[in-house]
């Protein structure tokens, strides 16, 4: 019996997954703390508590995400691109492309039948194609980020946004609110704008095979639906929480590492 863990430290959230053999025994997701190392300790403590384990029970832990090098108890690190690819294929073997929209970047990843990355493209220079974009827009409209999906489904005539930059888009949103545009139409327009940016990123490495969406933004069903429309395909839904896919991938790498040491 061997327990392994994956710890994914992002800019907005931290995720941890504990696995035993082929099973996920516990997971935890928290808002990121000021220090990545602090986030890692807090999220891993949450997962360990759920599993009824201590850190001494973990044979190997792998860190991933932008804060991966700050995970104090990780024996190894792996890029989030590799982790999302590995976990997506492990969970849904038919998947050949992963679109991950995170807090501060968006990635399109093509993988082979083993989950190995073949090609990838990512945007981390502009917040307009990321979860941060939706977070800022939700705050400017005075709505909860978690409610955006449900609100967008009520849209009858989604607005066309002319600004891609977060700062100018925020000003445009405020102008639309003052002009009396319906909130669902504004939210629907936001999802449409973000999905088209991400779809063009995915097309830059050519769409291939079955496609899935991972990352926290994939929990937003309005965004999931908008991305399907922008890509013109039906996306594969993950059975697991899409926000923990990176941490699952890190745990799978930990499992391979621990097995190799044996």
């Amino acid at each position: 019996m061997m327990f392994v863990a994956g710890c994914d430290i992002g800019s907005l959230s931290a995720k941890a997954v504990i696995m035993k053999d082929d099973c996920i025994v516990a997971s935890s997701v928290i808002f990121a703390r000021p220090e990545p190392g602090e986030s890692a300790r807090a999220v891993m403590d949450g997962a360990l508590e759920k599993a009824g384990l201590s850190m001494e029970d973990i044979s190997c832990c792998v860190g991933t995400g932008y804060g991966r090098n700050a995970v104090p108890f990780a024996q190894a690190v792996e890029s989030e691109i590799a982790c999302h690819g590995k976990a997506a294929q492990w969970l849904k073997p038919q998947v050949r492309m992963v679109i991950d929209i995170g807090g501060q970047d968006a990635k399109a990843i093509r993988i082979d039948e083993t989950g190995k990355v073949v090609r990838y493209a990512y945007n981390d220079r502009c917040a307009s194609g990321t979860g941060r974009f939706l977070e800022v827009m939700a705050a400017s409209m005075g709505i909860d980020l978690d409610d955006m999906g449900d609100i967008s489904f009520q849209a009858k005539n989604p607005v066309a946004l002319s600004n891609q930059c977060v700062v100018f888009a925020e000003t445009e949103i405020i102008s639309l609110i003052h002009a009396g545009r319906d909130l669902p139409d504004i939210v629907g327009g936001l999802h449409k704008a973000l999905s088209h940016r991400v779809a063009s990123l995915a097309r830059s490495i050519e769409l291939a095979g079955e496609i899935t969406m991972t990352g926290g933004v994939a929990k937003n069903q309005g965004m999931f639906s908008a991305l399907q429309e922008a890509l013109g395909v039906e996306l594969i839904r993950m059975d697991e929480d899409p926000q923990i896919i990176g941490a699952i991938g890190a745990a799978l790498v930990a499992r391979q590492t621990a097995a190799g040491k044996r």
Side-chain angles (χ1 to χ4, degrees), residues 40-65:
R41 282 193 184 90
V43 76
M44 186 55 75
D45 283 347
L48 288 166
E49 192 178 337
K50 285 181 185 175
L53 300 169
S54 69
M55 207 63 220
E56 288 71 42
D57 297 312
I58 306 298
S59 299
C60 182
C61 176
V62 167
T64 191

Side-chain angles (χ1 to χ4, degrees), residues 105-178:
D105 62 15
K107 312 172 199 71
I109 308 157
R110 275 179 51 190
I111 56 174
D112 65 15
E113 67 280 357
T114 68
K116 189 178 175 185
V117 176
V118 177
R119 285 185 76 186
Y120 70 90
Y122 68 97
N123 160 41
D124 64 350
R125 294 184 181 180
C126 175
S128 68
T130 70
R132 179 68 181 150
F133 177 73
L134 290 179
E135 188 183 40
V136 171
M137 296 307 141
S140 69
M141 290 183 286
I143 61 174
D144 195 302
L145 189 64
D146 293 339
D147 294 334
M148 287 186 90
D150 289 340
I151 292 170
S152 72
F153 283 128
Q154 298 163 36
K156 291 184 176 69
N157 186 21
V159 300
L161 293 176
S162 53
N163 289 295
Q164 289 200 15
C165 172
V166 171
V167 177
F168 295 125
E170 190 175 6
T171 305
E172 189 176 356
I173 293 297
I174 292 164
S175 299
L176 288 164
I177 291 168
H178 288 159

Side-chain angles (χ1 to χ4, degrees), residues 4 8 14 21 42 78 111 165 179 202 217 240 259:
V4 295
D8 178 5
D21 302 323
E78 184 58 272
I111 56 174
C165 172
V217 176
E240 296 292 339

Side-chain angles (χ1 to χ4, degrees), residues 33 65 68 160 254:
R33 305 282 171 86
R68 61 185 175 273

Side-chain angles (χ1 to χ4, degrees), residues 74-128:
Q75 281 83 26
V77 295
E78 184 58 272
S79 80
E80 61 265 44
I81 289 169
C83 288
H84 277 263
K86 184 174 278 291
Q89 192 278 331
W90 182 72
L91 290 161
K92 297 286 183 184
Q94 72 271 38
V95 164
R96 291 294 174 270
M97 187 175 219
V98 182
I99 294 173
D100 166 39
I101 306 179
Q104 64 176 184
D105 62 15
K107 312 172 199 71
I109 308 157
R110 275 179 51 190
I111 56 174
D112 65 15
E113 67 280 357
T114 68
K116 189 178 175 185
V117 176
V118 177
R119 285 185 76 186
Y120 70 90
Y122 68 97
N123 160 41
D124 64 350
R125 294 184 181 180
C126 175
S128 68

Side-chain angles (χ1 to χ4, degrees), residues 1 3 9 47 60 67 77 85 102 117 127-128 137 148 169 182 184-185 190 210 213 239 241 251 260 262:
M1 184 172 68
F3 292 101
I9 309 302
C60 182
V77 295
V117 176
S128 68
M137 296 307 141
M148 287 186 90
D182 288 341
D185 287 346
L190 280 169
E210 299 284 357
M213 183 183 179
D239 299 326
D241 177 353
R262 284 183 165 188

